[in-house]
Amino acid sequence: MYTLSSLLPDCVGKFISNQDGEVQLDKLLDGRVYAKVWHTVLNQWLIPHYQQGKNINLAPLGIIIQSNESNAHFIFSHSFISNFKITIDDPSDDMYDSHYSTTSINFHTLAKLAGIKTEIFRTAYNHIFMQLGVALKTEPLVSIDFTIGNLTAQ
């Protein structure tokens, strides 16, 4: 089973390139950076917003929708499903951009809380969700713990 303990290490070694497409080896991210980003996103943003009953935008992955009964459910982003060619059981569950009102992530604030430069925080965040897309497409069973619930796919 592919879990968070595989996801974050699989992100290590992703390259950052400049505007000219040149790889900047001095900006390779290590596992500590990915772990900081993941834990900051969960503990400083996702969980507090979930506890406040807000819909949460986990772009590019999808959104967490809060219902009136204090239950929540996850809806994949249509573009995420398309980009990674992921098959879902009920295609009516995928969302279209701006279909729901959500709280978007503030990378600058979260980067400050994590003690990381905003550019590095955003890059690590993007790598994590790109790697998750690859895992959802290629791994037979995926279960990622988001603390408020698991994203499970097979």
Side-chain angles (χ1 to χ4, degrees), residues 34 38 72 80 109 111 116-117 122 129-130 150:
Y34 289 107
W38 182 261
F80 189 83
T109 300
I116 301 172
K117 291 181 179 178
R122 181 185 298 271
F129 285 101
M130 286 183 344
N150 281 1

Side-chain angles (χ1 to χ4, degrees), residues 4-146:
L4 186 60
S5 62
S6 301
L7 175 65
L8 295 181
D10 284 351
C11 293
V12 174
K14 300 289 183 192
F15 295 104
I16 299 174
S17 55
N18 63 18
Q19 292 176 341
D20 298 326
E22 297 171 347
V23 173
Q24 297 173 306
L25 294 177
D26 61 320
K27 293 191 177 176
L28 281 175
L29 307 180
D30 63 26
R32 290 184 308 269
V33 171
Y34 289 107
K36 271 187 183 181
V37 168
W38 182 261
H39 292 292
T40 302
V41 167
L42 290 185
N43 297 319
Q44 301 296 324
W45 184 74
L46 185 106
I47 294 170
H49 283 84
Y50 178 80
Q51 290 171 338
Q52 294 170 14
K54 295 180 179 176
N55 294 337
I56 303 165
N57 186 338
L58 276 176
L61 183 64
I63 58 175
I64 297 170
I65 302 296
Q66 299 268 18
S67 66
N68 291 338
E69 303 97 38
S70 72
N71 292 328
H73 66 281
F74 178 80
I75 301 175
F76 276 106
S77 162
H78 179 69
S79 61
F80 189 83
I81 298 277
S82 297
N83 288 345
F84 289 100
K85 297 176 178 57
I86 298 170
T87 304
I88 57 174
D89 290 338
D90 184 0
S92 66
D93 280 347
D94 66 354
M95 71 170 214
Y96 293 90
D97 296 329
S98 73
H99 187 85
Y100 295 96
S101 173
T102 61
T103 302
S104 295
I105 194 165
N106 184 323
F107 289 105
H108 181 71
T109 300
L110 291 178
K112 277 186 173 180
L113 291 169
I116 301 172
K117 291 181 179 178
T118 303
E119 172 191 356
I120 299 299
F121 190 96
R122 181 185 298 271
T123 299
Y125 176 91
N126 288 335
H127 287 171
I128 290 169
F129 285 101
M130 286 183 344
Q131 183 59 41
L132 180 55
V134 169
L136 288 169
K137 176 64 179 169
T138 60
E139 297 292 330
L141 183 58
V142 176
S143 182
I144 304 298
D145 182 8
F146 282 85

